[in-house]
Amino acid sequence: NLLNQGKIIAIKGLGGFHIACDATNPEAVELLRKRKLRIDKPFAVMVPDISTIREHCLVSDEEAALLESRARPILILERLKTSNIVKQIAPNQNTIGMMLPYTPLHYLLLLNRTGQNSQFPHILVMTSGNLSEEPIAFDNDQARLQLSSIVDYYIMHNRPIHTRCDDSVVRFLGINNTSNFSRRSRGFAPNPIHVPWNMPQILATGAELKNTFCITRDHYAFVSHHIGDLENYETFTSFEEGIRIFENVFKLKPEVIAHDLHPNYLSSRYAIERSFQDNCPSVAVQHHHAHIASCMGENQIPSTTKVIGLSFDGTGYGTDGAIWGGEIFIADYKNFDRLYHLKYFKLPGGDMAIRNPARIAVAYLFQSDIDLDNRIPSVQSLNTEQISILLSQITHNINAPLTSSMGRLFDAVASIIGIRQHINYEAQAAIELEAAIDPDEKSAYSFDVCQDIRDNSTGMVAPDEMLIDSSPVLREVVADFFKGCSASIISAKFHNGIVNMILSICSEIRKRYNITEVVLSGGVWQNHTLLSKTFAGLEENSFHPIIHKSLPPNDGGISLGQSIIAYHRLFL
């Protein structure tokens, strides 16, 4: 048949089109990557049954139950070395996203290999039917237009899809039988999140990346399906359509509209314009506070409780205009105090640097007074002119915003030890750094913690904020690399160092404020190793760690936090 011949086929599902090909055919997979403009980002795989998954991945009983649940998510599983699924499915990773069929058409395509359709491949790539970064196609005519450059054939039906909806992506944690969502969508959204307050009707418009929106009513918060990155007209249109559908289905008319503090996000602009049109108040919410409030809210933490908030991610607009992302707060639902944060570094080129970890690494090395030795892979990957321009940007503050991002620190380390100099999808360098870990390595690098002295004309001390200086870690990383230490050892020591730093700081905060609840939120907490080790370390030290269970720790969960903060500020 066509799939056996290496053809690429668009298949209409429940929430939109998938693009399918034989997952054991390297030429077909490479051709799909080329056509879809998806260089390295992993593809999901659909197989007929659990027994087939066990031939390719490690699967626990809990994971099997989640795979077979009515939600039928994509589940991230550890790959077996004996699997014949081509490596191009998930380059430089030791995991595969697997799912089971969930429509009649899927079952017809994936009948058991001994059944009447045994001539069909029984392991299929099933990736979203879209061009890179665009919304999933869900209408027949739309699919013919949008996917014509990618697929060879179409399998369609005449049942219209009312709302586009991507597959959910989950990883089972093994921590209190919880799962970590990367994307909460089909099968889970818009199932309500139960909150302990009688909420008014609030619309929260979410973040710019991995956008979801949230609408509240009574004791329910309806967090939308995954919308995507609001960086193009098509996705923003999908965002607006989704809000209209939710308001109609749930018979809601927002009394308040909450949004991110960043004034130029499309979601923020929509919220401000909508509040003006509807003559209702709008509330701007700091990105990382929303992360913490989201995790608190879905865990039904009482309004009177203060927590230690570990908000680690790649990018978020800070109250001082800098790019935050390595923040340790004391927070409740109304307010937060930033007690510790990663030391600011200048990020030359902004978004350009994020796509090129080598630029981040060289900038961090220079600002940490570490010699730009040409033996360092980051330095090798840039020519003399590129390095000169970078250093000039830093020295003269030319398009070099300040950042305290934990995500950028992961990028720098991955680049320094030669794992990744350029990325093709978000967090690729950090994901590949985690994949390299030696799980048996116990030693750790050390951060410095010191008082934050403001760089202004007065040189005044900010006594309530402490800096977490990563410069000593970077020096140790470079030294170990020069000694010939493997990337797996360096990665493990880096991860262990972050865990030790967290435990030390949380212990200091507990001494001062007698707080034992520690909330972990932000995209960095999708790192399975870091989350597991931090959770275990906190419990061993008599803390009460609180993690996401029903929403992603990344920006897909922020909208809930925005709505809860707005409620507490305006109504309590």
Side-chain angles (χ1 to χ4, degrees), residues 436-563:
I437 284 176
D438 181 344
D440 298 321
E441 178 62 41
K442 304 302 180 188
S443 55
Y445 298 131
S446 298
F447 291 82
D448 275 351
V449 178
C450 57
Q451 199 167 44
D452 182 4
I453 300 178
R454 300 290 181 174
D455 183 16
N456 58 24
S457 58
T458 63
M460 291 178 63
V461 173
D464 292 330
E465 286 192 14
M466 301 290 285
L467 292 181
I468 305 164
D469 188 357
S470 57
S471 298
V473 171
L474 297 175
R475 282 191 281 271
E476 290 184 87
V477 166
V478 171
D480 275 353
F481 180 79
F482 285 161
K483 291 176 189 174
C485 284
S486 66
S488 59
I489 295 295
I490 295 174
S491 177
K493 292 172 73 173
F494 174 65
H495 282 78
N496 293 342
I498 295 173
V499 174
N500 289 350
M501 174 267 289
I502 288 169
L503 297 178
S504 175
I505 288 176
C506 286
S507 295
E508 284 298 315
I509 294 174
R510 180 170 57 185
K511 287 179 186 176
R512 291 167 59 191
Y513 298 97
N514 195 31
I515 298 174
T516 57
E517 288 77 14
V518 183
V519 173
L520 285 60
S521 190
V524 168
W525 295 110
Q526 290 177 227
N527 183 312
H528 186 260
T529 303
L530 185 65
L531 179 61
S532 299
K533 289 191 172 188
T534 302
F535 192 97
L538 289 168
E539 283 201 322
E540 289 168 6
N541 285 273
S542 301
F543 288 97
H544 177 212
I546 300 166
I547 61 175
H548 288 275
K549 300 172 183 175
S550 303
L551 292 175
N554 61 36
D555 286 2
I558 273 184
S559 58
L560 174 65
Q562 291 174 342
S563 66

Side-chain angles (χ1 to χ4, degrees), residues 99-321:
M99 62 175 161
L100 295 175
Y102 58 85
T103 72
L105 183 54
H106 294 154
Y107 280 100
L108 289 172
L109 285 170
L110 290 163
L111 284 178
N112 189 283
R113 70 197 74 174
T114 61
Q116 65 186 51
N117 287 346
S118 59
Q119 75 271 22
F120 288 6
H122 65 280
I123 306 173
L124 295 178
V125 168
M126 279 285 190
T127 188
S128 299
N130 60 348
L131 281 170
S132 182
E133 308 309 325
E134 290 187 0
I136 186 172
F138 70 106
D139 173 81
N140 289 353
D141 292 337
Q142 179 190 57
R144 288 189 186 97
L145 180 65
Q146 292 185 1
L147 306 181
S148 60
S149 63
I150 303 175
V151 306
D152 302 305
Y153 298 92
Y154 297 83
I155 300 177
M156 299 177 172
H157 53 72
N158 61 2
R159 299 186 67 183
I161 296 171
H162 191 56
T163 303
R164 75 179 91 222
C165 197
D166 292 89
D167 295 311
S168 294
V169 182
V170 185
R171 185 165 188 173
F172 187 74
L173 292 177
I175 300 172
N176 298 337
N177 290 322
T178 57
S179 299
N180 192 336
F181 281 89
S182 296
R183 185 169 72 201
R184 180 182 181 268
S185 204
R186 180 194 53 75
F188 296 96
N191 293 347
I193 306 294
H194 294 264
V195 293
W197 313 282
N198 189 15
M199 300 274 282
Q201 296 180 24
I202 299 174
L203 167 64
T205 59
E208 186 83 344
L209 302 180
K210 297 182 174 65
N211 178 270
T212 64
F213 58 85
C214 175
I215 300 181
T216 64
R217 180 175 184 171
D218 302 328
H219 291 279
Y220 302 106
F222 300 97
V223 178
S224 76
H225 53 289
H226 169 80
I227 303 294
D229 296 349
L230 299 183
E231 296 180 324
N232 55 55
Y233 174 77
E234 292 80 10
T235 310
F236 183 69
T237 299
S238 178
F239 165 79
E240 290 183 306
E241 289 174 352
I243 291 175
R244 283 195 294 269
I245 290 169
F246 267 54
E247 290 179 345
N248 181 53
V249 168
F250 297 112
K251 307 294 187 235
L252 299 173
K253 181 173 176 55
E255 304 167 44
V256 176
I257 302 179
H259 60 88
D260 194 276
L261 185 64
H262 198 301
N264 292 324
Y265 281 176
L266 291 179
S267 56
S268 298
R269 291 182 178 182
Y270 172 90
I272 293 167
E273 291 175 9
R274 178 80 188 272
S275 69
F276 178 77
Q277 292 171 2
D278 292 1
N279 193 29
C280 66
S282 65
V283 178
V285 178
Q286 200 280 322
H287 186 96
H288 300 93
H289 187 204
H291 268 308
I292 299 304
S294 171
C295 189
M296 293 172 67
E298 71 161 276
N299 283 277
Q300 299 194 340
I301 303 300
S303 298
T304 55
T305 301
K306 287 189 178 291
V307 303
I308 301 171
L310 307 179
S311 194
F312 295 167
D313 63 5
T315 300
Y317 189 73
T319 56
D320 57 0

Side-chain angles (χ1 to χ4, degrees), residues 47 49-51 53-54 56-80 94-100 170-180 188 528 532:
V47 300
D49 48 41
I50 288 290
S51 62
I53 293 181
R54 292 190 191 279
H56 301 278
C57 298
L58 292 175
V59 186
S60 68
D61 291 342
E62 293 84 0
E63 288 168 330
L66 188 53
L67 283 161
E68 292 181 316
S69 69
R70 67 178 184 176
R72 285 294 202 272
I74 298 169
L75 188 63
I76 307 300
L77 297 169
E78 185 176 345
R79 178 190 183 119
L80 294 174
N94 51 19
T95 57
I96 304 178
M98 303 288 277
M99 62 175 161
L100 295 175
V170 185
R171 185 165 188 173
F172 187 74
L173 292 177
I175 300 172
N176 298 337
N177 290 322
T178 57
S179 299
N180 192 336
F188 296 96
H528 186 260
S532 299

